[in-house]
Amino acid sequence: TKAFTVSVATVNQVTACDYVGIVSGNNEPDKFKKAGFTAIKSEFVNAPIIEQLPMCLECELVSYDEESCYMVGKIVNVSVDESVINENNKIDVQKLQPITYDPCNRDYIALGNKVGNAFSDGKKISNCNEKS
């Protein structure tokens, strides 16, 4: 359909997200149901959104390389559940509790601790006041 979605896996859904990642839909057509997930149609692209995950990037396919399986998409919408929005109407990473995969140790790692200030901390090195 030249469209796809990327849902953000979360701490609360790590088991279900791992399950849908390791089980083929060809072998288990009800894998979403078994994981406790419901797929709903995106309003912006012809692809599903996992209703139980609080954040989803809705994308149009820009290019796909069959040899490398490298896919490039253009984000046309970001769906975010209000439960992960802060008082400034921004996504709160502490509420979202996204996870990432550590391939070296085969672990899932929770993200969310602030470690610095973007476009600011680096200025301390040379006292630069340049704007990017």
Side-chain angles (χ1 to χ4, degrees):
T1 64
K2 300 197 185 247
F4 61 96
T5 57
V6 179
S7 293
V8 175
T10 63
V11 169
N12 292 337
Q13 294 286 356
V14 66
T15 301
C17 290
D18 186 59
Y19 175 77
V20 297
I22 61 176
V23 173
S24 169
N26 293 329
N27 299 330
E28 181 53 66
D30 290 333
K31 77 177 191 174
F32 263 42
K33 184 178 179 180
K34 283 189 173 184
F37 286 157
T38 307
I40 59 173
K41 187 178 180 328
S42 162
E43 295 179 29
F44 297 90
V45 297
N46 187 17
I49 294 174
I50 299 173
E51 195 169 24
Q52 290 74 19
L53 296 176
M55 183 174 170
C56 181
L57 308 176
E58 300 166 65
C59 307
E60 293 175 347
L61 183 66
V62 172
S63 64
Y64 179 72
D65 179 52
E66 290 185 29
E67 186 175 315
S68 66
C69 296
Y70 187 73
M71 181 168 42
V72 176
K74 174 184 172 187
I75 300 170
V76 297
N77 189 57
V78 179
S79 297
V80 181
D81 189 88
E82 289 185 20
S83 67
V84 299
I85 300 294
N86 67 19
E87 62 279 354
N88 297 319
N89 207 30
K90 304 279 186 188
I91 297 167
D92 185 328
V93 176
Q94 297 294 325
K95 291 179 179 181
L96 179 61
Q97 296 184 303
I99 61 173
T100 190
Y101 174 61
D102 170 5
C104 296
N105 297 295
R106 299 182 80 179
D107 293 329
Y108 293 110
I109 307 298
L111 303 175
N113 293 327
K114 181 178 176 179
V115 296
N117 299 295
F119 308 104
S120 177
D121 289 350
K123 294 177 183 177
K124 296 173 189 172
I125 293 174
S126 65
N127 270 341
C128 70
N129 290 317
E130 295 177 23
K131 291 185 179 181
S132 300

